[in-house]
Amino acid sequence: MDPPCFFTFKPFLHQCVFVFIIILFTLAYQTDSDNSKFEACEPKTCGSNLTIRYPFWISGEQESYCGSPNFEITCNDQKPVLNISYEDYIIKDIFYENSSLRLAYSAADENLCPTPLYNLTLTRTPFNFVPGDTDLFFWYNCSDKPPENGTYSISCGNEYSHYYSFAAFHKEMLVNYSLESCQYSVYAPLNVETGANWFQMNYNEILKIGFVLNWTALSCSNCEASGGRCGFDNSEFLCFCKDKTHHKTCDDGNFTGSVFISFVSSVNVLDY
Ligand SMILES: *[C@@H]1O[C@H](CO)[C@@H](O)[C@H](O)[C@H]1NC(C)=O
Ligand SMILES: *[C@@H]1O[C@H](CO)[C@@H](O)[C@H](O)[C@H]1NC(C)=O
Ligand SMILES: *[C@@H]1O[C@H](CO)[C@@H](O)[C@H](O)[C@H]1NC(C)=O
Ligand SMILES: *[C@@H]1O[C@H](CO)[C@@H](O)[C@H](O)[C@H]1NC(C)=O
Ligand SMILES: *[C@@H]1O[C@H](CO)[C@@H](O)[C@H](O)[C@H]1NC(C)=O
Ligand SMILES: *[C@@H]1O[C@H](CO)[C@@H](O)[C@H](O)[C@H]1NC(C)=O
Ligand SMILES: *[C@@H]1O[C@H](CO)[C@@H](O)[C@H](O)[C@H]1NC(C)=O
Ligand SMILES: *[C@@H]1O[C@H](CO)[C@@H](O)[C@H](O)[C@H]1NC(C)=O
Ligand SMILES: *[C@@H]1O[C@H](CO)[C@@H](O)[C@H](O)[C@H]1NC(C)=O
């Protein structure tokens, strides 16, 4: 009986606005359902007091959509482990405020006579070295005896081998030494305070201090500041909030706000 809302006259206005409000509230109610992804992406701890949250996620304990694929952490014996270029690293600390983290060779952390066998390459990872990172060089299976000053001997139970393996901070320490007599060499990153007396520590203790990398990821600070938790859906960055999933922050696309605005503008347009 009634004409369609858009062609109505003033006497029917209240009826029309009422219909609009019903429609809008129905929409609002449907999208305001509980957000299970917000619950699923609750920050977790692994071991001590290290909080794991976006862009990191713990495989097996958190959903992969709570972080970025390259930031997958495994929680091994209460220790957070990150696998970069074939090597396991223990996460010693995460600094979310400046997007960086401190890592150490997991074998060093467990005092298992660490022998890094790969150069850490960060190509095709979201990680980068930072100023202050330096290298500890490793030479393995050398036929010439290295100088004692400035080198760390690595025996790992092979004391009676006729080969020598050792680590050193500077190649300059090895003047007159033939590095060609070694079968294999690797450099391991380190980020240590200058001034300490490194020669009084063994190389395992030094490796345990670790090194720092920064990372590149879409920032979550605005979403977090609005009470949300970041994640992905089909590689689209999203902000999971208590009420529903938003695009950037929990305040964007405020549905109550838009209901109010459309209500006011429809009344205004029809009134004049
Ligand atoms: C974790 O807590 C312990 C004691 O509660 C403290 O000694 C340690 O420094 C903390 N570690 C970090 C990374 O904050
Ligand atoms: C790390 O990567 C290496 C090489 O792919 C693999 O052997 C090792 O099991 C990985 N470690 C973890 C904890 O995934
Ligand atoms: C980030 O801050 C921490 C703690 O203040 C610091 O140890 C770390 O070196 C910083 N990272 C970078 C990349 O500057
Ligand atoms: C050193 O030599 C031993 C015995 O020949 C071999 O098993 C080992 O893999 C070598 N290590 C490296 C790092 O080349
Ligand atoms: C070891 O090297 C340092 C610096 O190169 C030097 O000052 C020191 O005298 C050396 N020690 C020995 C015992 O040769
Ligand atoms: C290295 O060899 C040169 C020439 O044999 C010698 O003059 C120099 O003193 C040596 N340097 C060291 C640190 O042994
Ligand atoms: C690591 O890098 C050094 C310097 O580039 C190179 O001499 C060495 O062969 C590399 N080691 C491995 C295992 O790739
Ligand atoms: C990481 O550190 C490097 C070296 O200082 C810098 O060029 C890069 O911009 C940093 N990346 C991030 C995301 O902070
Ligand atoms: C969104 O709604 C909340 C309350 O529901 C309000 O506090 C906030 O100011 C609104 N934000 C915008 C941008 O309208």
Side-chain angles (χ1 to χ4, degrees), residues 6-24:
F6 283 113
F7 304 107
T8 192
F9 295 103
K10 259 194 165 178
F12 300 101
L13 175 63
H14 293 305
Q15 227 174 324
C16 267
V17 167
F18 185 68
V19 170
F20 267 122
I21 287 175
I22 296 276
I23 291 170
L24 289 171

Side-chain angles (χ1 to χ4, degrees), residues 251 254 256-257:
D251 299 327
N254 225 336
T256 41

Side-chain angles (χ1 to χ4, degrees), residues 72-74 76 79-92 101-110 116-122 127 129 186-189 207 210-211 213:
E72 177 177 358
I73 287 174
T74 42
N76 284 350
K79 286 188 175 176
V81 176
L82 188 66
N83 199 319
I84 315 177
S85 81
Y86 311 111
E87 202 94 51
D88 279 348
Y89 298 93
I90 300 274
I91 301 179
K92 310 283 278 187
L101 77 170
R102 182 173 281 275
L103 298 171
Y105 280 89
S106 98
D109 207 67
E110 289 159 26
L117 292 177
Y118 304 95
N119 287 328
L120 174 56
T121 53
L122 298 176
F127 302 104
F129 292 110
V186 158
Y187 56 89
L207 278 185
F211 56 96
L213 300 179

Side-chain angles (χ1 to χ4, degrees), residues 5 22 25 36-37 51 60 62 80 98 102 123 136-137 143 166 209 233 266 269:
C5 270
I22 296 276
F25 269 96
S36 61
K37 292 189 172 175
T51 303
Q62 276 171 316
N98 59 13
R102 182 173 281 275
T123 48
L136 184 62
F137 294 89
S143 48
F166 63 98
I209 298 167
D233 188 12
S266 65
V269 165

Side-chain angles (χ1 to χ4, degrees), residues 46-58:
C46 173
S48 60
N49 26 19
L50 194 58
T51 303
I52 310 293
R53 56 177 162 90
Y54 175 94
F56 298 94
W57 56 284
I58 306 177

Side-chain angles (χ1 to χ4, degrees), residues 243-261:
D243 61 340
K244 60 181 175 127
T245 296
H246 295 247
H247 284 288
K248 290 194 175 70
T249 76
C250 298
D251 299 327
D252 67 22
N254 225 336
F255 211 82
T256 41
S258 54
V259 170
F260 182 67
I261 289 163

Side-chain angles (χ1 to χ4, degrees), residues 5 23 104 124-125 148 154 165 179 215 229 251 255 265:
C5 270
I23 291 170
R124 288 190 297 277
T125 77
E148 273 175 23
I154 301 168
S165 295
L179 289 172
W215 73 75
R229 293 166 186 164
D251 299 327
F255 211 82
S265 56

